[in-house]
Amino acid sequence: MKLILAAVGKLGNTPENTLTRDYLSRATLSGRPLGLGPAELLEIEPKKTAKSQDSLLNKAREAEAIRAALGEGVCLITCDERGELLTSRQIAQRVDKLKDSGERKLAFLIGGADGLDAELVKSARFSLAFGPQTWPHALVRLMLAEQMYRATTILSGSPYHRD
């Protein structure tokens, strides 16, 4: 099952982007024997209207761009402040169940500055929260990439994760 970290916006050459890509490479290596991977980063161009305050329209346009970039047959997990607070082991178990159920592509979605479109969130298998705080976009990417790597190590029995 291919793993995708899809994020609205582009980070460029930043330390956070370097670490995000490093964790995704690690997830690819540790997930390969399990049938997980490759793990990839997909950056989607933000879709701002002339009136940038129109957040509903921005989110709807970004949802269209996300769907177009991901294509058909993708299982979605959204990152949303109202999502579930899951342990790393619970995330790993859900990824494993999705793989075992025959899913071929799994995309973790991070929205733009306005968040994700409500219909896109509803269409997701589940939503994941990183707590009640507001986090910088670059750090959410990094934390999510690390959790994707951690999930593959948990499933492979690696000592990386400790309960």
Side-chain angles (χ1 to χ4, degrees), residues 10 12 14 16 29 31 34 47 62 64 66 69 71 81 92-93 95 103 105 122 132 134 140-142 156-157:
K10 297 187 183 232
T14 64
E16 297 88 354
L29 292 174
L34 306 169
K47 302 291 182 188
E62 287 172 354
E64 289 175 20
I66 290 167
E81 64 187 5
Q93 290 167 346
V95 167
E103 295 293 344
K105 288 197 295 187
K122 284 182 194 174
T134 300
V140 172
R141 283 186 191 206
L142 176 55
S156 70

Side-chain angles (χ1 to χ4, degrees), residues 12-160:
N13 191 18
T14 64
E16 297 88 354
N17 198 19
T18 300
L19 282 170
T20 297
R21 291 179 186 278
D22 180 59
Y23 276 117
L24 292 175
S25 294
R26 292 181 194 193
T28 295
L29 292 174
S30 62
R32 186 174 291 137
L34 306 169
L36 293 171
E40 299 176 354
L41 176 63
L42 176 62
E43 294 181 309
I44 297 145
E45 193 70 38
K47 302 291 182 188
K48 299 295 179 199
T49 62
K51 291 171 55 178
S52 62
Q53 295 82 12
D54 193 353
S55 69
L56 288 178
L57 183 56
N58 290 339
K59 289 191 282 189
R61 292 180 71 207
E62 287 172 354
E64 289 175 20
I66 290 167
R67 286 186 180 102
L70 289 172
E72 297 293 319
V74 180
C75 179
L76 303 177
I77 297 172
T78 56
C79 290
D80 186 274
E81 64 187 5
R82 293 165 296 278
E84 296 178 69
L85 294 170
L86 301 175
T87 67
S88 296
R89 196 164 290 283
Q90 289 171 320
I91 294 170
Q93 290 167 346
R94 289 201 186 183
V95 167
D96 196 37
K97 281 183 182 177
L98 291 169
K99 178 184 66 76
D100 289 348
S101 73
E103 295 293 344
R104 307 282 298 164
K105 288 197 295 187
L106 176 61
F108 292 85
L109 303 180
I110 301 170
D114 295 318
L116 288 167
D117 179 70
E119 291 303 313
L120 189 62
V121 173
K122 284 182 194 174
S123 72
R125 191 63 57 103
F126 66 92
S127 288
L128 179 63
F130 283 102
Q133 305 86 6
T134 300
W135 292 97
H137 190 87
L139 289 183
V140 172
R141 283 186 191 206
L142 176 55
M143 292 187 303
L144 183 55
E146 192 280 339
Q147 286 300 297
M148 292 167 71
Y149 168 60
R150 187 174 294 272
T152 62
T153 63
I154 288 169
L155 295 172
S156 70
S158 164
Y160 178 75

